Amino acid sequence: MPTLSSIAQSLENKSIFITGSTGFLAKIFVEKILRVQPQVKRLYLLVRASDAKSAKHRLDAQVISKELFRVLRTKHGEEFDSFISEKICPIAGDMAVEDLGIQETHLKQEIMEDVDIIANVAATTTFDERYDVALNINALGADRVVAFAHRCQKLQMFLHISTAYVCGSKSGLMMEKPIRMGETPNGQNNLDIEAELRLAEKELKELRARGVEKTEEMAAMKELGFKRARSFGWPNSYAFTKAMGEMLIGESRKDLPLVIIRPTIIESTLVDPFPGWIEGFRTAGSVIMSYGMGKLKCFPSNVNLPIDVIPADMVVNAMVVSMVAHSRQPQSFIYHVGSSKQNPTTTSLLADCAYRYFSNNPVKGKDGRDISVDKLFVYSSLDDFRKYMNFYYNVPLQVLRLANFALFNVWGRLHRDLTRKYNFAMYLAELYDPYVFFDGRFDDGNAEGLRMVMKATGMKEAEQFNFDPKCINWEEYCMKVYYPGLVRYAMVQK
């Protein structure tokens, strides 16, 4: 492990190739590298685009111009744009095709000769993604990046970002161990990735042969993903295909130095580069903001079980420390980055904080008036929630539909609005059911060992690259950091 101050120093004059660079986590990773080590040689950022001009435009619009970079922008002042141009090289490409879709031969050769570290952060993180898309990006995409890595002449580290929920729908203590090819959470261990690829392709061909509408095709492919995932013991196509990605990497990496980071539920930054930065309504955030905006009155969850939330900057710090720590080591290392083992929180605390926060800081509705909230009622099972929603919402909606039909659509707008809210609440409940009722904790013995060694090097770097969940005060994080960040993001989106 590096000594004091050598984590940042180890990045000096390094070239790093990063996939998924326009995503939430990758942006924070890029900003962190540029801020702590301005002498990094080059960051090659793979951007899904047709050509170099489009890649640069997308990178500027979706990454560099974001508020996330305000600290770095202030630090460099008028030299910011030239600094970015010098350090960042946008690469037009696509994870979903061979050779990562990089068409410029000379640029591809430059990367292969120059890159020291590859950080594969790309993924489709949508829980209900189409099965064919999730397979192509999360499973095959990861394998394509490994193939690309084998052609890089002086590669010192392959960093892969997975998810802790590759463990599937199990209970107990989840260990930091690799997933064997074909291994499944339900114990049958009969997963055949090639067969899954053929199945998805066959289903898609049949749908298109029937000439179905795009919406029907999408729904069918999403449903296929759910069915296949749950038949093996995974909650959804996201966790399922991320697990496949880990299997494929394990099979094809050979002697590549490999670190797999498995974060839990990633939410807003805690400290770095400033508290509360978030982009998109993520797993917990979508429920919290739906409640704060008056769209959600109740939700199913076991309030006594831990919900494993971790701030995004802690995940990024773990990424940086682990890739430096294991550079040039031809083994594989796995790290859970979460909170449920060391400092768990619960949905009960999140809900209570949400009530207090939005009662004191109400969100304004479309009419400019404050949206008042009552305490979120939590049902202890999904079945109870379904019964409640059916009796109090679905049945009255059907009555309203019939009355509206009889009265020539007098209440058409009201019916559509209420139906949309009902469908949204049911969608969230079904989607997040595997997470809010997850009866497990993630062992982080490997991560704790890395933290202990890092702390032994000196407090300066331990603070700069802190990923210790024990330092989080969950009530303070929710009330002063996380929820205000969600509201700021919501207001910007409005």
Side-chain angles (χ1 to χ4, degrees):
M1 180 67 193
T3 57
L4 175 65
S5 80
S6 68
I7 295 174
Q9 285 180 0
S10 295
L11 299 172
E12 186 174 350
N13 203 36
K14 290 292 192 297
S15 292
I16 308 174
F17 181 80
I18 304 169
T19 69
S21 56
T22 59
F24 172 63
L25 195 63
K27 290 175 189 175
I28 303 173
F29 180 67
V30 168
E31 193 277 341
K32 179 82 175 189
I33 297 293
L34 293 174
R35 183 162 40 81
V36 301
Q37 184 46 270
Q39 298 307 315
V40 68
K41 183 180 178 183
R42 199 79 157 151
L43 301 184
Y44 296 97
L45 305 187
L46 187 69
V47 181
R48 192 171 68 251
S50 57
D51 53 44
K53 183 178 179 181
S54 299
K56 185 180 185 309
H57 176 76
R58 188 174 177 212
L59 192 70
D60 289 342
Q62 297 184 18
V63 181
I64 306 304
S65 65
K66 296 295 181 179
E67 184 194 17
L68 175 69
F69 284 78
R70 78 181 189 203
V71 174
L72 196 64
R73 192 179 291 274
T74 300
K75 178 181 177 181
H76 289 276
E78 293 180 355
E79 302 299 319
F80 176 77
D81 290 338
S82 61
F83 172 73
I84 292 297
S85 296
E86 177 190 349
K87 299 298 177 182
I88 289 183
C89 179
I91 307 295
D94 190 347
M95 281 275 294
V97 298
E98 294 304 316
D99 248 0
L100 307 182
I102 304 173
Q103 299 296 322
E104 296 183 48
T105 306
H106 73 282
L107 186 56
K108 189 189 306 180
Q109 190 61 36
E110 176 190 324
I111 295 169
M112 291 176 177
E113 292 175 359
D114 188 42
V115 73
D116 301 289
I117 298 166
I118 289 180
N120 182 36
V121 196
T124 172
T125 58
T126 306
F127 292 163
D128 62 341
E129 183 62 89
R130 302 173 50 125
Y131 193 34
D132 54 332
V133 173
L135 280 168
N136 199 18
I137 297 175
N138 293 343
L140 295 182
D143 201 38
R144 293 184 192 109
V145 183
V146 173
F148 187 85
H150 280 302
R151 297 163 65 188
C152 295
Q153 298 168 16
K154 61 188 187 91
L155 193 71
Q156 301 173 15
M157 167 55 54
F158 186 92
L159 176 69
H160 175 70
I161 309 306
S162 186
T163 171
Y165 294 96
V166 293
C167 65
S169 304
K170 296 193 292 188
S171 60
L173 189 63
M174 311 302 152
M175 306 305 292
E176 295 165 302
K177 64 178 185 178
I179 308 172
R180 301 188 310 274
M181 179 60 74
E183 183 179 355
T184 60
N186 63 10
Q188 294 180 7
N189 299 332
N190 58 347
L191 173 63
D192 182 338
I193 296 177
E194 289 296 329
E196 294 301 310
L197 292 169
R198 290 193 297 271
L199 176 64
E201 183 180 10
K202 178 174 177 288
E203 179 73 11
L204 187 59
K205 281 183 178 178
E206 289 177 356
L207 288 166
R208 290 179 175 173
R210 285 164 41 203
V212 302
E213 297 289 333
K214 284 292 182 183
T215 52
E216 186 179 343
E217 176 186 300
M218 180 177 290
M221 294 307 292
K222 284 185 174 186
E223 182 62 25
L224 178 64
F226 265 120
K227 284 182 177 179
R228 297 307 296 166
R230 293 186 174 180
S231 71
F232 291 108
W234 279 282
N236 50 48
S237 58
Y238 166 62
F240 183 28
T241 54
K242 289 296 284 183
M244 288 190 210
E246 283 198 28
M247 292 177 197
L248 291 170
I249 289 173
E251 288 285 300
S252 59
R253 79 169 189 90
K254 298 178 182 176
D255 61 349
L256 279 179
L258 171 67
V259 167
I260 295 177
I261 297 289
R262 290 177 181 166
T264 54
I265 299 170
I266 307 174
E267 295 295 346
S268 79
T269 57
L270 175 67
V271 173
D272 209 16
F274 52 86
W277 189 79
I278 195 165
E279 188 173 63
F281 296 126
R282 320 193 74 74
T283 308
S286 58
V287 176
I288 298 299
M289 275 310 299
S290 296
Y291 165 73
M293 297 175 76
K295 296 179 180 178
L296 203 63
K297 306 293 184 183
C298 57
F299 203 70
S301 176
N302 186 329
V303 296
N304 298 313
L305 293 176
I307 182 166
D308 203 316
V309 176
I310 192 74
D313 49 336
M314 285 194 166
V315 179
V316 165
N317 288 342
M319 291 165 62
V320 176
V321 173
S322 61
M323 77 183 192
V324 169
H326 300 298
S327 177
R328 296 190 180 92
Q329 297 179 16
Q331 294 95 21
S332 63
F333 302 87
I334 296 174
Y335 293 101
H336 282 149
V337 185
S339 59
S340 59
K341 178 76 183 300
Q342 302 287 346
N343 183 18
T345 187
T346 62
T347 52
S348 178
L349 183 141
L350 297 183
D352 180 64
C353 286
Y355 173 66
R356 287 188 284 136
Y357 179 79
F358 288 108
S359 294
N360 294 324
N361 306 276
V363 176
K364 293 193 179 297
K366 292 180 181 179
D367 58 2
R369 296 180 181 179
D370 290 348
I371 297 174
S372 63
V373 295
D374 297 318
K375 278 198 172 183
L376 184 70
F377 191 87
V378 180
Y379 283 89
S380 59
S381 75
L382 185 59
D383 283 342
D384 287 345
F385 178 76
R386 288 193 188 109
K387 290 173 185 175
Y388 168 83
M389 291 296 289
N390 184 62
F391 185 78
Y392 285 100
Y393 289 92
N394 191 37
V395 171
L397 273 174
Q398 300 311 312
V399 173
L400 179 62
R401 181 180 65 83
L402 294 172
N404 183 55
F405 179 77
L407 294 173
F408 304 101
N409 207 33
V410 170
W411 295 312
R413 185 175 179 180
L414 174 64
H415 180 260
R416 286 192 299 273
D417 183 53
L418 292 175
T419 300
R420 185 168 59 250
K421 288 181 178 179
Y422 168 79
N423 289 338
F424 181 68
M426 294 303 299
Y427 168 78
L428 284 182
E430 298 282 351
L431 196 63
Y432 296 144
D433 168 63
Y435 299 91
V436 294
F437 290 103
F438 181 72
D439 188 11
R441 298 192 184 207
F442 295 99
D443 178 74
D444 63 347
N446 294 346
E448 181 65 8
L450 193 59
R451 285 191 287 264
M452 294 300 291
V453 175
M454 183 177 66
K455 287 176 182 177
T457 67
M459 286 308 295
K460 182 181 177 183
E461 286 232 315
E463 291 176 3
Q464 189 177 29
F465 296 98
N466 177 35
F467 61 101
D468 189 348
K470 292 191 292 292
C471 75
I472 304 171
N473 179 318
W474 287 112
E475 183 175 354
E476 187 174 297
Y477 172 69
C478 289
M479 299 294 287
K480 297 181 179 180
V481 177
Y482 178 31
Y483 296 170
L486 286 173
V487 172
R488 281 196 303 274
Y489 177 74
M491 294 306 101
V492 169
Q493 293 306 106
K494 270 191 175 182

